[in-house]
């Protein structure tokens, strides 16, 4: 497998956005290099075929109903942040990529349906090794400004505002935990919350950060304000017994994080919302510090072990529904 040699930042943007082109400088002569002048470098597979479910292919398990991290497009093809992150990983490893649907790491990896799992990694996932974090998520605040600039909000500000929130949601629970007793207007989904924010019916929206970031990127005056709780994480996991693959995936994840590829993918799906939500917390919120350098500790913070089915349903309030996607694409 061969690839043209490009600068790391340029390659990341082209790979993520599918764009090509050059910056034009009117003061210089612009020439296009011939095929013979282009330098190519060989990208060899980072793992042997014996370490893979399918030779030459990184098979990735993820929850295909967890929009906007993974969802089916109108053409039936998978799309979403986790899908693009997986493509970037596979590319870095010199492999093709394939996807399978799975609700947990343990079920997908234990049955050898996939090489890795991208999603929430629970302590009940058995002989699974967490290889790193690829996404932060939290109940968060979104607001509107006339120029779409950055907002700074405190819990005191929220207490004197009208807040839009999805009814019977985890975000309502987050408000209660922060002792925020502001006037709340409830809606049936996050999309309706944002419509109310755009029209001025509410001052702020409290919702899952990934759902909010995905919707806010299409509305220029609405932006991310800050997290209202300790962010949980979505991670990459592999079967602990497959040491060769785990090391290769971990190295590749470190690589696409360090060179900005992962953050570029993040900006495509979540706009200007920061990649690391621990860097922007609502002032006055009682948020426990997290060890962002340890994927093991981060993944255990988001563990749902012992949670009831009601709790798990509540925690999914930020999920984008088909109705939301249709409205956005209309």
């Amino acid at each position: 497998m061969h690839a043209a040699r490009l600068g790391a930042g340029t390659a990341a943007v082209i790979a993520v956005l599918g764009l090509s082109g050059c910056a034009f400088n009117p003061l210089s002569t612009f020439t296009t290099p011939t095929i013979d002048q282009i330098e190519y470098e060989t990208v060899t597979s980072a793992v042997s075929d014996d370490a893979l479910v399918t030779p030459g292919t990184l098979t990735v398990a993820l929850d295909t109903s967890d929009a906007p991290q993974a969802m089916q497009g109108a053409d039936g093809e998978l799309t979403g942040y986790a899908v693009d992150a997986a493509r970037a990983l596979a590319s870095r490893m010199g492999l093709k990529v394939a996807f399978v649907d799975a609700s947990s790491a343990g079920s997908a990896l234990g049955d050898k349906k996939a090489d890795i799992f991208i999603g929430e990694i629970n302590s009940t996932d058995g002989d699974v090794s967490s290889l790193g974090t690829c996404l932060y998520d939290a109940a968060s605040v979104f607001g509107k400004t006339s120029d779409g600039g950055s907002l700074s909000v405190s819990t005191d500000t929220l207490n004197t505002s009208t807040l839009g929130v999805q009814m019977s949601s985890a975000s309502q629970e987050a408000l209660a935990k922060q002792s925020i007793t502001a006037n709340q207007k409830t809606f049936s989904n996050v999309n309706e919350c944002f419509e109310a924010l755009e029209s001025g019916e509410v001052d702020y929206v409290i919702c899952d950060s990934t759902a909010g970031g995905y919707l806010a990127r299409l509305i220029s005056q609405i932006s991310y304000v800050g997290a209202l709780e300790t962010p949980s994480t979505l991670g990459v996991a592999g079967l602990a017994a497959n040491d060769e693959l785990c090391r290769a995936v971990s190295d590749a994840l470190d690589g696409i994080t360090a060179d900005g590829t992962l953050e570029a993918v993040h900006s495509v799906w979540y706009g200007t919302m920061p990649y690391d939500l621990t860097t922007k917390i609502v002032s006055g919120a009682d948020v426990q510090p997290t060890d962002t350098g340890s994927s093991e500790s981060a993944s255990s913070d988001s563990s749902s072990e012992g949670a009831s089915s009601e709790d798990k349903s509540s925690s999914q309030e930020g999920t984008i529904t088909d109705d939301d996607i249709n409205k956005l694409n209309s």
Side-chain angles (χ1 to χ4, degrees), residues 196-328:
L197 178 59
E198 187 175 22
S199 68
E201 184 180 349
V202 299
D203 300 312
Y204 300 97
V205 166
I206 314 300
C207 68
D208 178 87
S209 62
T210 58
Y214 180 76
L215 295 173
R217 70 198 174 110
L218 301 178
I219 309 172
S220 61
Q221 293 183 334
I222 294 179
S223 61
Y224 176 85
V225 175
L228 204 56
E229 63 183 359
T230 304
S232 61
T233 60
L234 268 68
V236 180
L239 199 60
N242 194 344
D243 183 62
E244 179 188 354
L245 180 64
C246 285
R247 282 188 285 107
V249 171
S250 181
D251 289 346
L253 181 58
D254 287 345
I256 65 172
T257 301
D259 70 7
T261 299
L262 195 60
E263 194 162 352
V265 175
H266 190 275
S267 68
V268 169
W269 288 99
Y270 309 118
T272 58
M273 186 176 76
Y275 170 74
D276 185 353
L277 299 187
T278 64
T279 64
K280 198 168 183 182
I281 305 294
V282 171
S283 176
D286 182 15
V287 175
Q288 299 301 312
T290 58
D291 180 6
T292 57
S294 170
S295 59
E296 293 290 347
S297 110
S299 62
S300 65
D301 286 342
S302 61
S303 170
S304 62
E305 182 181 14
S308 67
S309 58
E310 182 179 351
D311 292 334
K312 291 178 182 177
S313 174
S314 175
S315 70
Q316 295 301 313
E317 56 90 13
T319 299
I320 301 288
T321 65
D322 288 340
D323 269 351
D324 294 328
I325 298 298
N326 292 335
K327 288 176 184 176
L328 288 171

Side-chain angles (χ1 to χ4, degrees), residues 29 49-50 66 70 82 98 130 134-136 160-161 186 212 227 237 245 251 273 292 302 330:
T29 302
D49 285 344
D50 290 341
D66 183 25
S130 176
C134 66
L135 182 65
Y136 292 85
T160 58
S161 304
T186 58
L245 180 64
D251 289 346
M273 186 176 76
T292 57
S302 61
S330 61

Side-chain angles (χ1 to χ4, degrees), residues 43 154 168 246:
V43 180
S154 68
S168 303
C246 285

Side-chain angles (χ1 to χ4, degrees), residues 39 50 142 157 164 167 321:
E39 293 183 44
D50 290 341
F142 289 83
T157 304
M167 64 181 70
T321 65

